[in-house]
């Protein structure tokens, strides 16, 4: 069946695998997407939502680069919210509640419509090698398929083990078999592996809930979209989520099952996600708290299935049920399925290069939870970068990577390969030093030109970006050169409780005041006339406002980023012998030898490498 060699084989069809296959294929690589169940492409294994704090920025970046996740999210969303609007724009993060079934369906249809993608359903149990280069995969039926590059996106399936109370059984997801063979094969080839844990809450029947006892959480009045393409439209109707809370009775009922909890009786020894703990972990670690939030999230437009966000657990199913019936609004709850924990193999990501190619084996790329991350968005971002670089590798072109000052995706990958992770890694805005530059509104201006240059982002994307950028720049110029008279603006200033002006002042100076927003100035005739004449969009208004209000912060971060670029431009020769330099610390020599940083900038971010060590390296690099 597979007599011809593929350019790229993608193993696994979760969020990472789907983006990887799409990227490689759209760049021109003949791609095979092989997975254990083709009915579960891009399955939302956990919560039915995309985006959120920092994750929304990643999703916008994926779209700006030419990925599909933003488009699929827009087409299948049931609610949209911009989080952190009360804070500065660097913190604004879009989030969408998704229709779980439609999301997976839309992803599959997009992939089926993508030229150069073939599909095959089977388990990959081994890799094929030509010395220190990968050359294909071997399946459980003994089928050998050859390729110039291979991307592993195994999610939680590598030797996956599911825990519910004292019961445990193999599985990559509830109802699906684990994957065997790949971990052992990679360890044989010199890789180091580890174990991680994640979990998921019960799903329940929404018809059994009393929403009158909960607090409704509607979407935004004016919802936006994730994709920058005009082909996706904002939601016209939305479904609400709800909030309720645990209480002391719930906590007492949960504690009754601690002796049968795999987290507390030693059955689970791997580390779970710090920022998405199980409910039993929360009441154990935060014993002083008498309640915790529960987000009640619908799984789609028409289904009655509900996701109980905040109640992730691996306690016995009878304990889960009794405790949940003590939550307000859940007194008569009916379970669809209990929550569970899952342990799985991962490979510490310090074994990767910036392009997500493995250091020991050429042409082999890792993306997603195999690298120790958690979250759909982090996985999709890695898949996109791996797909791009698998194509560039097999066409013998320079690898593609993003710097920390260019994208959250750059921060994500640099953190992973430089610092590694011993717990499931999750992106936050606080991880980015340049978050004023890396806003959700400007991902297209940051990244679309870079992606277009390597052949992924389409001409349409570049044209839309340039059009939007031109509109914003024109509006900023207009506001910087146009003055407003006191009698026209003072009523607005008085209403906003900010000082009135006594002589004409440029509009940009007025807008820079913290008490004012662009919306406040739309009632001015000279602005409304300009907007109508130029058909200015809401997105353009937002971008212009941010650039005017935060110009000082933006310029400061740009200056800091330029300093970083100086160290980023100093590359370290491959295989550099750090042991030959006695004037750097022993810890620095060990860490540098293990990680083999690409540049002095990356070396400076390694834990245990001091500024004095970098100074010594600068001397040895002739600087």
């Amino acid at each position: 069946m597979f007599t011809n060699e593929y350019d790229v084989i993608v193993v696994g069809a979760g969020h990472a695998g789907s983006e990887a296959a799409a990227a490689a294929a759209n760049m021109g690589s003949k791609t095979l997407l092989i997975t254990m169940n083709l009915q579960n492409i891009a399955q939302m294994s956990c919560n039915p939502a995309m985006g959120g704090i920092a994750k929304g920025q990643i999703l916008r970046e994926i779209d700006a680069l030419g990925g599909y996740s933003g488009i699929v999210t827009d087409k299948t969303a049931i609610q949209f919210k911009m989080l952190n609007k009360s804070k500065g724009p660097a913190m604004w993060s879009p989030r969408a509640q998704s229709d779980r079934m439609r999301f997976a369906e839309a992803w599959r249809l997009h992939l089926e419509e993508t030229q150069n993608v073939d599909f095959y359903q089977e388990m990959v149990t081994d890799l094929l090698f030509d010395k220190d280069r990968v050359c294909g995969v071997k399946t459980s039926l003994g089928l050998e398929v050859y390729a110039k590059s291979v991307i592993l996106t195994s999610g939680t399936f590598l030797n996956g083990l599911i825990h519910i109370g004292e019961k445990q059984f193999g599985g990559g997801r509830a109802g699906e078999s684990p994957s065997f063979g790949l971990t052992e094969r990679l360890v044989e080839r010199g890789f180091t592996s580890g174990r991680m844990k994640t979990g998921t809450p019960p799903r329940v029947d929404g018809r059994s809930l009393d929403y009158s006892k909960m607090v409704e959480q509607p979407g935004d009045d004016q919802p936006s979209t994730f994709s920058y393409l005009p082909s996706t439209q904002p939601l016209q109707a939305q479904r609400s989520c709800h909030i309720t809370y645990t209480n002391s009775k719930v906590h007492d009922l949960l504690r009754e099952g601690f002796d049968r909890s795999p987290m507390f009786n030693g059955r689970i020894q791997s580390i779970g996600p710090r920022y998405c703990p199980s409910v039993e972990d929360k009441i154990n670690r935060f014993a002083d708290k008498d309640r915790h939030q529960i987000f009640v999230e619908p799984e789609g437009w028409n289904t009655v299935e509900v996701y109980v966000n905040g109640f992730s657990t691996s306690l016995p199913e009878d304990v889960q049920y009794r405790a949940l019936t003590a939550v307000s609004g859940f007194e008569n709850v009916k379970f669809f399925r209990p929550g569970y924990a899952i342990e799985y193999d991962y490979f510490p990501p310090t074994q990767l290069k910036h392009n997500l190619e493995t250091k020991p084996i050429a042409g082999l790329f890792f993306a997603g939870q195999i690298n120790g991350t958690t979250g759909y968005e982090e996985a999709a971002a890695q898949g996109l970068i791996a797909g791009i670089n698998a194509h560039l590798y097999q066409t013998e072109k320079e690898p593609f990577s993003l710097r920390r000052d260019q994208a959250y995706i750059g921060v994500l990958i640099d953190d992973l390969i430089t610092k590694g992770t011993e717990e499931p890694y999750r992106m936050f805005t606080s991880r980015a030093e340049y978050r004023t530059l890396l806003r959700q509104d400007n991902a297209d201006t940051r990244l679309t030109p870079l992606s277009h240059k390597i052949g992924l982002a389409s001409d349409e994307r570049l044209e839309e970006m340039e059009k939007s950028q031109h509109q914003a720049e024109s509006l900023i110029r207009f506001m910087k050169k146009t003055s407003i008279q006191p009698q026209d603006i003072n009523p607005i200033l008085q209403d906003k409780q900010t000082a009135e002006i006594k002589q004409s002042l440029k509009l940009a100076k007025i807008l820079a005041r913290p008490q004012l927003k662009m919306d406040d100035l739309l009632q001015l005739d000279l602005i409304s006339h300009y907007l109508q004449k130029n058909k200015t969009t809401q997105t353009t208004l937002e971008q212009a406002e941010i650039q005017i209000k935060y110009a000082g912060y933006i310029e400061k971060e740009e200056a800091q980023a330029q300093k970083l670029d100086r160290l980023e431009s100093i590359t370290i020769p491959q295989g550099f012998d750090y042991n030959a330099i006695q004037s750097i610390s022993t810890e620095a020599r060990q860490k540098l030898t293990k990680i083999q940083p690409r540049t002095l900038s990356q070396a400076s971010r390694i834990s245990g490498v001091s500024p004095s060590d970098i100074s010594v390296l600068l001397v040895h690099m002739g600087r």
Side-chain angles (χ1 to χ4, degrees):
M1 289 186 293
F2 297 106
T3 54
N4 296 321
E5 182 184 46
Y6 281 93
D7 295 320
V8 178
I9 293 176
V10 180
V11 181
H15 297 261
S18 296
E19 284 288 5
N26 282 325
M27 292 180 76
S29 283
K30 184 66 177 173
T31 303
L32 175 66
L33 180 59
I34 182 166
T35 186
M36 292 164 64
N37 190 343
L38 286 171
Q39 302 308 311
N40 291 332
I41 287 177
Q43 185 68 246
M44 291 180 136
S45 305
C46 203
N47 64 320
M50 295 292 283
I53 306 301
K55 293 168 176 281
Q57 283 88 329
I58 288 176
L59 213 57
R60 283 266 167 92
E61 292 176 353
I62 290 169
D63 183 75
L65 288 164
Y68 286 166
S69 289
I71 297 170
V72 170
T73 300
D74 289 343
K75 289 184 175 180
T76 60
I78 63 175
Q79 186 194 91
F80 184 95
K81 293 191 81 165
M82 185 67 75
L83 306 180
N84 280 343
K85 283 289 283 185
S86 62
K87 301 179 180 179
M91 306 297 286
W92 297 355
S93 302
R95 183 183 189 271
Q97 203 68 30
S98 298
D99 186 307
R100 183 189 299 276
M101 291 182 286
R102 291 185 181 183
F103 184 93
E105 178 191 39
W107 246 116
R108 173 159 175 164
L109 293 177
H110 270 285
L111 286 169
E112 288 184 358
E113 292 165 3
T114 301
Q115 289 186 350
N116 295 323
V117 176
D118 287 348
F119 301 85
Y120 191 63
Q121 178 174 294
E122 209 193 322
M123 183 192 298
V124 170
T125 56
D126 201 355
L127 298 173
L128 305 176
F129 301 100
D130 177 9
K131 297 180 181 177
D132 289 333
R133 181 180 71 86
V134 73
C135 62
V137 302
K138 187 174 183 179
T139 72
S140 57
L141 292 177
L143 193 68
E144 294 185 350
V145 192
Y146 291 89
K148 297 170 185 172
S149 59
V150 174
I151 306 172
L152 291 187
T153 68
S154 51
T156 59
F157 281 76
L158 289 182
N159 295 320
L161 184 64
I162 290 174
H163 298 265
I164 302 177
E166 296 174 300
K167 303 164 187 148
Q168 56 181 215
F169 48 92
R173 255 190 308 249
E176 297 183 60
S177 301
S179 173
F180 298 112
L182 284 177
T183 298
E184 294 75 15
R185 181 64 160 144
L186 289 167
V187 170
E188 284 177 11
R189 298 289 304 198
F191 286 87
T192 300
S193 69
R195 294 284 278 177
M196 279 190 177
K197 168 235 166 210
T198 189
T200 194
R203 272 61 155 196
V204 303
D205 189 335
R207 296 169 299 185
S208 66
L209 304 182
D210 184 353
Y211 291 102
S212 67
K213 296 182 178 180
M214 307 178 197
V215 179
E216 185 178 7
Q217 296 286 300
D220 288 347
D221 292 334
Q222 293 183 310
S224 185
T225 58
F226 274 101
S227 180
Y228 291 95
L229 291 175
S231 55
T232 68
Q233 296 298 313
L235 287 168
Q236 300 300 309
Q238 301 185 68
R239 281 201 69 178
S240 290
C241 298
H242 291 79
I243 289 181
T244 185
Y245 297 88
T246 62
N247 52 57
S248 56
K249 182 180 178 182
V250 175
H251 299 178
D252 289 341
L253 288 168
L254 288 169
R255 288 189 187 97
E256 289 179 9
F258 277 12
D259 61 327
R260 293 189 285 154
S261 166
M263 277 193 59
F264 298 129
N265 64 18
R267 286 180 180 270
I268 293 178
Q269 296 185 342
S270 49
I271 300 173
R274 178 189 300 264
Y275 302 103
C276 189
S278 65
V279 67
E280 58 263 39
D281 194 21
K282 281 191 281 191
I283 66 171
N284 184 54
R285 285 165 50 192
F286 308 107
D288 58 317
K289 304 290 185 184
D290 57 7
R291 70 174 192 171
H292 296 283
Q293 279 186 328
I294 300 292
F295 295 90
V296 184
E297 301 178 344
E299 297 250 336
W301 283 113
N302 302 313
T303 181
V304 299
E305 189 171 0
V306 167
Y307 180 87
V308 190
N309 195 341
F311 207 85
S312 177
T313 180
S314 58
L315 285 165
E317 61 274 21
D318 60 310
V319 176
Q320 295 184 33
Y321 176 74
R322 285 200 308 274
L324 205 50
T325 57
V327 173
S328 182
F330 281 74
E331 292 83 359
N332 299 306
V333 66
K334 293 180 180 178
F335 270 37
F336 270 26
R337 39 187 165 148
Y340 62 87
I342 182 168
E343 290 185 287
Y344 55 94
D345 293 340
Y346 84 105
F347 290 83
T350 50
Q351 300 169 100
L352 301 174
K353 303 175 185 177
H354 266 92
N355 63 345
L356 297 183
E357 183 184 16
T358 66
K359 293 174 182 175
I361 301 295
L364 178 62
F365 298 80
F366 289 172
Q369 284 173 290
I370 192 173
N371 291 336
T373 60
T374 180
Y376 308 142
E377 302 82 2
E378 289 90 340
Q382 294 170 72
L384 181 71
I385 298 300
I388 289 171
N389 281 298
H391 168 81
L392 295 174
Y393 169 84
Q394 65 88 16
T395 52
E396 299 181 352
K397 294 180 180 177
E398 284 295 308
F400 176 81
S401 62
L402 295 168
R403 300 192 309 269
R404 297 181 72 91
D405 62 318
Q406 289 180 312
Y408 272 91
I409 297 174
V411 175
L412 164 69
I413 292 174
D414 186 67
D415 275 356
L416 291 173
I417 70 167
T418 303
K419 303 173 184 176
T421 185
E422 295 180 354
E423 61 184 45
Y425 178 99
R426 179 179 177 180
M427 178 54 71
F428 289 101
T429 51
S430 59
R431 295 192 191 274
E433 310 94 303
Y434 307 106
R435 51 186 174 272
T436 306
L437 299 180
L438 309 183
R439 305 183 310 274
Q440 53 82 32
D441 65 278
N442 70 348
D444 58 339
T445 59
R446 289 186 277 119
L447 301 177
T448 297
L450 299 177
S451 184
H452 183 267
K453 187 176 180 180
I454 61 172
L456 180 56
S458 63
D459 292 341
E460 179 193 8
R461 283 189 178 277
L462 187 64
E463 289 166 8
E464 284 294 328
M465 183 280 297
E466 290 174 341
K467 176 183 173 183
S468 175
Q469 187 178 32
H470 175 72
Q471 279 193 337
E473 290 171 350
S474 296
L475 178 55
I476 292 168
R477 283 196 300 270
F478 170 77
M479 297 195 73
K480 283 183 175 180
K481 73 178 183 180
T482 304
S483 298
I484 186 76
Q485 298 301 318
Q487 64 269 23
D488 296 323
I489 193 64
N490 279 343
I492 297 174
L493 300 180
Q494 188 177 22
D495 183 57
K496 291 296 175 180
Q497 299 181 341
T498 182
E500 298 179 25
I501 62 173
K502 296 180 180 178
Q503 57 189 26
S504 64
L505 198 65
K506 294 291 189 289
L507 285 169
K509 290 283 188 181
I510 295 289
L511 182 58
R513 294 188 180 190
Q515 299 89 347
L516 291 174
K517 295 183 178 179
M518 181 71 82
D519 288 347
D520 299 321
L521 304 185
L522 297 183
Q523 54 191 294
L524 297 172
D525 289 340
L526 74 170
I527 289 187
S528 61
H529 289 158
Y530 175 91
L531 300 182
Q532 290 173 8
K533 179 182 176 182
N534 293 276
K535 298 179 180 178
T536 308
T537 65
Q538 185 63 38
T539 301
T540 298
L541 284 175
E542 183 180 287
Q543 289 185 348
E545 179 177 5
I546 291 169
Q547 290 183 52
I548 289 171
K549 274 186 169 294
Y550 297 91
Y553 296 100
I554 292 170
E555 289 170 7
K556 183 178 179 181
E557 283 198 2
E558 285 175 342
Q560 290 173 341
Q562 287 171 6
K563 290 180 182 178
L564 173 75
D565 284 348
R566 293 169 197 159
L567 283 182
E568 197 71 53
S569 65
I570 304 174
T571 58
I572 301 174
Q574 191 170 0
F576 186 85
D577 185 8
Y578 296 99
N579 291 316
I581 306 176
Q582 295 302 312
S583 48
I584 63 175
S585 70
T586 301
E587 181 183 5
R589 282 200 300 275
Q590 292 172 347
K591 296 280 184 69
L592 291 164
T593 300
K594 177 184 176 183
I595 295 172
Q596 289 291 313
R598 187 186 61 180
T599 66
L600 273 185
S601 178
Q602 184 190 357
S604 70
R605 294 189 293 274
I606 297 172
S607 174
V609 178
S610 68
S612 62
D613 294 325
I614 296 299
S615 297
V616 172
L617 289 173
L618 274 167
V619 173
H620 279 268
M621 299 294 154
R623 301 301 180 94

